[in-house]
Amino acid sequence: MNNDQNNQNNPSIEEIGEKVIRFGAILVAAAIILFCFAYTKIESPLLQMLAFGLSTLLGCVGLFIIVIAALGIRAEKHKTNFFLYDKKKKGNIELRELTVAEIRKRLEEFMSTFKHRGKLYIGDLFDERRHIPEQFKPLFCYEVLCQIAEGSKAQAETFLSFGLECAEVFSKYLSQNSDYELASKIKSYIAEYSDGEHKTESFCSYIAEQKQSIEEKMLNYTVTNIEKFG
């Protein structure tokens, strides 16, 4: 599923607000029409009074809806989102503008804050004592795998050497995105490595082949859960 499809399936607060404003405008227009009709066409004082009252009520409700929706849109635009906030624009970009490259860039910056003496230890990213928000952890898994796909055999060996505990952690968080096949493959490769079957090259080849799919899943997960990063 691509970014545009995700965006259509998950309308933003701004899009919902715009629809609500249009509905409010329809109510105001209906109120004006009813008022004019009552003033020019209705001769009965009682019916005219009822029509004036109804038009006033419709107009007030319509205006109230417009104001509330406009305030909601304004608040949403000023609400910062980890992946959508643009420092230059001083506001969030549209969800449809979000790319894998931007997601990875921001993840790398975030992950770099956990480096120790210039090195990033994978275990630190999933250490419960660090109180890292859970929604980031599936993305950490994808980012680590992307780096392996782009890196050397040594990087893959470092990852595989973390053992079955690491495999369980990756399986847990990849499964949150229904990525069971990739989680199973990783567990299989780490199990082989732990048993002394150092099939590092085949692991590197597999991850490299899956790189595009991994990036698509990363984008899909981020878009689907974008509100959690606000």
Side-chain angles (χ1 to χ4, degrees), residues 30-211:
I32 294 172
I33 292 171
L34 179 59
F35 183 88
C36 293
F37 179 79
Y39 186 76
T40 58
K41 301 294 183 180
I42 299 177
E43 296 181 356
S44 169
L46 179 60
L47 290 178
Q48 194 176 58
M49 186 178 297
L50 288 174
F52 285 157
L54 181 58
S55 66
T56 301
L57 178 62
L58 281 175
C60 290
V61 170
L63 288 173
F64 179 76
I65 288 174
I66 291 171
V67 170
I68 293 299
L71 290 174
I73 291 174
R74 186 169 182 268
E76 184 66 20
K77 286 182 176 178
H78 286 80
K79 176 183 174 183
T80 60
N81 184 284
F82 182 84
F83 290 109
L84 299 179
Y85 186 73
D86 187 317
K87 292 180 180 178
K88 293 181 180 179
K89 294 181 178 179
K90 295 183 179 180
N92 292 334
I93 62 172
E94 291 291 331
L95 185 56
R96 64 176 65 89
E97 298 176 52
L98 186 62
T99 63
V100 170
E102 187 61 33
I103 292 171
R104 293 195 58 194
K105 176 185 173 184
R106 300 194 184 199
L107 273 178
E108 287 174 12
E109 291 173 353
F110 185 31
M111 291 165 68
S112 69
T113 62
F114 301 100
K115 285 184 177 181
H116 179 65
R117 294 181 180 178
K119 291 184 179 181
L120 177 65
Y121 295 92
I122 295 174
D124 288 345
L125 297 174
F126 303 98
D127 191 335
E128 298 295 335
R129 292 171 296 180
R130 290 185 175 271
H131 304 292
I132 299 172
E134 289 291 301
Q135 63 267 28
F136 281 97
K137 293 180 180 179
L139 293 175
F140 288 163
C141 294
Y142 287 127
E143 178 56 27
V144 168
L145 294 174
C146 282
Q147 290 177 6
I148 291 173
E150 297 166 348
S152 65
K153 180 180 177 181
Q155 287 176 305
E157 285 181 343
T158 300
F159 171 74
L160 292 170
S161 67
F162 278 100
L164 294 176
E165 185 178 349
C166 179
E168 292 297 334
V169 169
F170 269 59
S171 177
K172 172 185 175 181
Y173 289 111
L174 291 176
S175 296
Q176 287 184 8
N177 196 35
S178 302
D179 204 347
Y180 305 109
E181 183 178 352
L182 181 58
S184 177
K185 278 283 188 180
I186 289 173
K187 289 177 72 173
S188 175
Y189 277 112
I190 289 182
E192 290 173 354
Y193 190 92
S194 299
D195 290 339
E197 300 179 31
H198 291 195
K199 299 181 179 180
T200 309
E201 290 183 2
S202 59
F203 175 69
C204 289
S205 297
Y206 172 74
I207 295 300
E209 290 170 0
Q210 297 297 314
K211 183 173 182 287

